[in-house]
Amino acid sequence: SNLMAAIDATASEDFDSTDYFAPPSSFEDVSIIIKNQNLTTAYKSLFAESRPMNGDGQIFDLQLKNVTGEELKFDFTGMDKFKEYEVYLFDSRLKKYYNLKEKNSILSPAYVREGKFSLLIGKSSFIESEKAKNIVNEYSLLQNYPNPFNPKTVIMYSLKAPSNVVLTVYDITGSIVAKLVDGYLSEGYHEAVFNADNLASGIYIYRLEVKNGNNMVYTSTKKMVVTK
C-alpha cells in the first residue's frame, strides 16, 4: 500500500487535480490512507494529497488497517525534497515521534489492526510545539488488551522520565511465570506482549516496578484473565 503527501505552493488546501481519492472499499488486508476532514468533498480519504505550507507547518492524518496478523514495515522516501523543513511521524497509540530524516523505516506490530498516525512537515519550532502537546507527564500501568485473552495480550505503560523498568507476570500463588521487561528505557509509552500459550486458564497478575537509580519511584499491579 502506498501514499504520497507533498508540500506544493501551487496546490489548494481543498481537493484539486494534484490529489487522488482512495477507493471506498475495505477488501484490502493492508491499507494506509490520508484522512482529511477539512475537505469540502463528502469523501475524505486520499492516496495522494498536495497542500501549500500553512504557516510554519502541515499535518497529514494517516489511518492504517492491517488484518494480516503479520508485522508491517513502513518505508519513507523523498526526505531530500524537504531540505528546509523537518519531517516527523507521530504514532498516536504510543504518543511517539519519529524523525524521518534519521529513521526512514518503522515497524508496526502484528497486533495493531488499526492505527492512527500524523505526518508532520514544518519548521523546527512547529515540530517542537506539536511535541509539547504530547509530553508524557506520569508513570502509569494500563489494563492489558485484549482481556480476557488467548494466547497473547499487550501490556502498555508510560514513563515520565528515563528509568529502570521491571515488568513481571505472576500466577495466583505468587510464582513468577514470565519477566517481560528488565532494563533501562526512555521516557514515553512502551508496550510488551505476553504469550500465555503454555499456561492454564485462570487469573494472572502483572506488576510494573520503576526505579530511578536505587530508588523505587512507581509500582502498580493489575489482573488479567487467560481463557482457553
Side-chain angles (χ1 to χ4, degrees):
S1 186
N2 296 280
L3 59 78
M4 183 196 74
I7 299 298
D8 184 347
T10 66
S12 169
E13 286 277 3
D14 208 340
F15 186 82
D16 60 26
S17 60
T18 63
D19 304 330
Y20 294 90
F21 284 124
S25 62
S26 59
F27 65 87
E28 294 177 306
D29 290 338
V30 175
S31 66
I32 186 166
I33 61 171
I34 300 171
K35 199 75 171 181
N36 188 348
Q37 298 294 347
N38 295 321
L39 294 180
T40 57
T41 56
Y43 192 62
K44 313 290 186 182
S45 300
L46 301 161
F47 272 157
E49 184 178 18
S50 297
R51 303 178 193 168
M53 183 55 68
N54 183 7
D56 290 337
Q58 277 280 12
I59 299 176
F60 297 81
D61 292 324
L62 314 180
Q63 289 188 359
L64 169 72
K65 171 191 171 186
N66 177 22
V67 296
T68 65
E70 298 179 3
E71 182 180 71
L72 294 183
K73 180 183 177 184
F74 295 125
D75 290 317
F76 300 91
T77 61
M79 298 305 108
D80 57 311
K81 300 182 184 299
F82 300 101
K83 294 180 180 179
E84 62 205 278
Y85 298 117
E86 301 295 326
V87 184
Y88 276 73
L89 185 75
F90 173 64
D91 183 341
S92 63
R93 183 175 60 89
L94 293 176
K95 302 293 189 292
K96 188 171 183 178
Y97 289 87
Y98 299 92
N99 184 343
L100 298 185
K101 289 190 174 182
E102 297 177 354
K103 187 178 181 68
N104 58 14
S105 181
I106 294 171
L107 299 177
S108 178
Y111 51 80
V112 178
R113 295 172 61 91
E114 295 182 354
K116 292 184 178 181
F117 301 85
S118 296
L119 180 65
L120 290 75
I121 303 173
K123 296 180 180 179
S124 297
S125 58
F126 170 77
I127 300 297
E128 292 306 314
S129 67
E130 290 299 317
K131 285 183 177 181
K133 298 176 183 178
N134 292 285
I135 293 176
V136 177
N137 55 17
E138 65 177 358
Y139 297 104
S140 68
L141 176 64
L142 282 65
Q143 187 64 50
N144 65 299
Y145 66 93
N147 188 44
F149 66 96
N150 178 31
K152 295 181 180 180
T153 190
V154 179
I155 300 170
M156 185 177 289
Y157 53 97
S158 68
L159 307 173
K160 72 176 184 179
S163 309
N164 291 301
V165 176
V166 177
L167 179 61
T168 312
V169 180
Y170 303 85
D171 62 21
I172 56 174
T173 70
S175 298
I176 295 176
V177 299
K179 183 170 284 189
L180 303 180
V181 181
D182 187 358
Y184 189 78
L185 298 179
S186 62
E187 71 274 14
Y189 281 85
H190 300 270
E191 58 187 1
V193 177
F194 174 54
N195 189 341
D197 196 35
N198 297 321
L199 298 175
S201 298
I203 297 174
Y204 292 83
I205 310 298
Y206 60 101
R207 178 178 175 83
L208 178 69
E209 298 178 347
V210 181
K211 288 185 178 181
N212 184 356
N214 294 322
N215 299 320
M216 187 75 71
V217 296
Y218 178 81
T219 61
S220 183
T221 302
K222 293 186 182 294
K223 296 180 181 179
M224 55 185 172
V225 180
V226 177
T227 57
K228 295 185 175 181

